[in-house]
Amino acid sequence: MGNSVRHLSSAVFAFVIAASAVAGRAEVSPEAAAPSSKPAGRVESFTPPGPDRAVPTSRGELIYSFAPIVKKAQPAVVNVFASRVERMPANPLFDDPIFQRFFGGNGGMPGRNMSQSLGSGVIVDPSGLVVTNNHVIEGMTDVKVALADKREISAKILLRDPRTDLAVLKLSDGANFPTMELGDSDALEVGDLTLAIGNPFGVGQTVTQGIISALARTHVGISDYGFFIQTDAAINPGNSGGPLVDMSGRVVGINSAIFSKSGGSVGIGFAIP
């Protein structure tokens, strides 16, 4: 894919390293962030959820279930809720003495408007480092994260970069959070199976399945860096910041945008490698 693509594929990993330094950690734990040396498409061994289900290991077994992969990856996926309270300027008309005589003198008080944003994220370090999209938390002052176990925890914005559209949050309470391993997006090939996990339209954590449709897509228009993974796994508003997962249960991209005239998924989604 060339040196440019290889450089960009490390954007998420570099962000996690930087965020760990900000949080007072010298490095991210190898279990949570070190790219695996195993080839993409090979399934790591772990116990399936039931005797009649197995991780697909060949084309013939793809008629089985992705449930073991989802069970491994899903606990590390979170919902991100961000908000900001804006003070609205008072209408000068309310300062008119005649207006105050008929409508009272409190009409000139400035109003308040609540701006909200909804997205997804993925925990990549047990200390509570969460990678998401910058546009999910951009301009927001209050960020909360809902975990898969239904806990809601406030989060601090550690790093944000509009150029890559990436941000790193730090959960304010708790430890030993479930994590998802960072995979090697350079090893992806067109046609590889992927899963997208997130919170589309705020309906709750949802898993969709597709393939890698293209690599090194440019002119997407969502950041200065023009190399993206394209997938046909359904991505909708609310999925932003959630992981694109390979068949080993590793995050290989951060879902960021879709091409759509209706606002819903039409099978053209883009993830940051």
Side-chain angles (χ1 to χ4, degrees):
M1 289 165 42
N3 292 333
S4 297
V5 179
R6 284 195 293 270
H7 173 71
L8 290 169
S9 69
S10 63
V12 175
F13 183 69
F15 245 69
V16 174
I17 294 294
S20 296
V22 172
R25 292 168 58 92
E27 60 182 10
V28 176
S29 60
E31 297 82 8
S36 173
S37 60
K38 297 181 181 180
R42 179 177 178 182
V43 179
E44 297 181 76
S45 59
F46 55 94
T47 304
D52 57 343
R53 298 196 175 196
V55 178
T57 58
S58 67
R59 292 182 181 271
E61 293 179 353
L62 292 180
I63 60 174
Y64 290 167
S65 175
F66 294 105
I69 301 172
V70 174
K71 184 178 181 181
K72 178 184 179 183
Q74 201 168 33
V77 182
V78 300
N79 303 334
V80 178
F81 303 93
S83 62
R84 178 183 71 247
V85 176
E86 300 175 323
R87 295 181 64 85
M88 306 298 294
N91 193 318
L93 178 63
F94 292 140
D95 295 329
D96 187 278
I98 297 177
F99 189 94
Q100 292 181 3
R101 178 181 176 183
F102 287 98
F103 297 99
N106 296 325
M109 296 293 292
R112 302 177 68 186
N113 183 44
M114 175 75 76
S115 297
Q116 296 180 316
S117 178
L118 171 68
S120 303
V122 56
I123 305 174
V124 295
D125 186 83
S127 66
L129 293 183
V130 177
V131 177
T132 186
N133 281 139
N134 177 69
H135 73 258
V136 172
I137 50 88
E138 187 173 16
M140 300 300 169
T141 57
D142 184 35
V143 180
K144 291 185 178 180
V145 171
L147 278 61
D149 60 9
K150 309 302 181 183
R151 285 184 294 167
E152 291 189 6
I153 302 176
S154 296
K156 176 184 177 181
I157 301 173
L158 284 185
L159 293 174
R160 61 170 72 187
D161 184 7
R163 295 190 64 199
T164 58
D165 194 27
L166 289 173
V168 176
L169 313 176
K170 175 67 169 65
L171 299 181
S172 60
D173 187 30
N176 298 319
F177 293 101
T179 63
M180 192 181 302
E181 181 184 353
L182 295 179
D184 182 7
S185 59
D186 285 346
L188 293 176
E189 296 183 359
V190 174
D192 283 350
L193 287 165
T194 56
L195 302 177
I197 308 178
N199 183 23
F201 298 108
V203 300
Q205 197 170 100
T206 302
V207 181
T208 56
Q209 177 267 327
I211 64 169
I212 300 296
S213 304
L215 295 168
R217 278 295 192 216
T218 60
H219 305 297
V220 175
I222 59 176
S223 74
D224 288 350
Y225 291 121
F227 297 90
F228 295 88
I229 303 167
Q230 181 180 330
T231 179
D232 67 349
I235 298 173
N236 288 288
N239 275 107
S240 291
L244 187 67
V245 183
D246 67 11
M247 292 295 99
S248 294
R250 302 172 300 186
V251 54
V252 291
I254 299 297
N255 300 320
S256 300
I258 60 174
F259 178 84
S260 175
K261 295 182 178 181
S262 65
S265 175
V266 293
I268 304 176
F270 301 98
I272 300 171

